[in-house]
Amino acid sequence: MSGVHSKQSEEPTTDLHRRRTEVSKIPKLADTILGTCGAGRLLDVVSSSGELVRALPIEGVDPVGVDIDEEAVRVATERLGNRFTCASTVALPFPDGDFETIVCIGTLHLLAENEIPQALAELARVVQRSVYVRVQTQANREEDKAGLATAQT
């Protein structure tokens, strides 16, 4: 696997190193979400490997993940149990108000511009209380495409 160079260090990094760095920040993120949004049923939109779902079944949080990538859902389910669903952010297969909290991190930039209003409407439809959103900026998007983006909290 060939490495890429990080803007910050000029030392080669790999996708695996970048993913480990992102995963190492999950417990802090879970604490932030719990402190900001409180306990209850939680949906992690674009849950990928399920690391956030794995970190959150604490103190009354019932986390569930959704991702459009069938392979990601399969792997997360094998690792963490039946808490994952394969579906699009623009057509969530959950009843109205099914979640107290929705977490949507680094997701909206993955959608086509015309899908963003529909995705936001879906999030609003299935949530009762809080939506925790982190939006990736255009500058970060360009770095991500070049393999240079770093995880931020």
Side-chain angles (χ1 to χ4, degrees):
M1 173 180 263
S2 65
V4 295
H5 285 58
S6 167
K7 271 186 168 180
Q8 294 178 346
S9 69
E10 289 303 317
E11 292 184 24
T13 59
T14 63
D15 288 340
L16 178 59
H17 173 70
R18 207 169 14 263
R19 281 185 293 229
R20 284 183 180 153
T21 300
E22 291 169 1
V23 167
S24 71
K25 295 180 179 187
I26 294 293
K28 182 179 177 185
L29 176 61
D31 287 344
T32 299
I33 292 166
L34 183 60
T36 303
C37 302
R41 189 159 156 83
L42 177 142
L43 177 63
D44 181 16
V45 177
V46 185
S47 57
S48 189
S49 65
E51 293 301 323
L52 185 59
V53 170
R54 182 174 77 153
L56 278 168
I58 52 174
E59 302 193 34
V61 178
D62 178 21
V64 175
V66 65
D67 202 298
I68 197 166
D69 183 335
E70 291 178 8
E71 180 65 9
V73 170
R74 185 189 65 74
V75 169
T77 299
E78 283 179 7
R79 289 179 55 232
L80 303 168
N82 195 22
R83 292 184 166 274
F84 301 90
T85 299
C86 188
S88 170
T89 307
V90 299
L92 295 171
F94 305 106
D96 294 358
D98 199 25
F99 300 94
E100 279 79 25
T101 300
I102 293 180
V103 176
C104 183
I105 298 175
T107 300
L108 297 176
H109 74 281
L110 300 173
L111 301 173
E113 190 172 331
N114 64 340
E115 292 178 319
I116 293 172
Q118 186 177 357
L120 292 173
E122 276 295 276
L123 299 181
R125 180 185 66 77
V126 300
V127 74
Q128 292 178 27
R129 184 181 60 215
S130 302
V131 178
Y132 183 96
V133 176
R134 186 175 305 161
V135 178
Q136 186 167 5
T137 66
Q138 183 63 33
N140 285 344
R141 180 187 279 182
E142 294 305 318
E143 287 178 355
D144 193 39
K145 286 180 184 175
L148 301 171
T150 57
Q152 299 177 12
T153 57

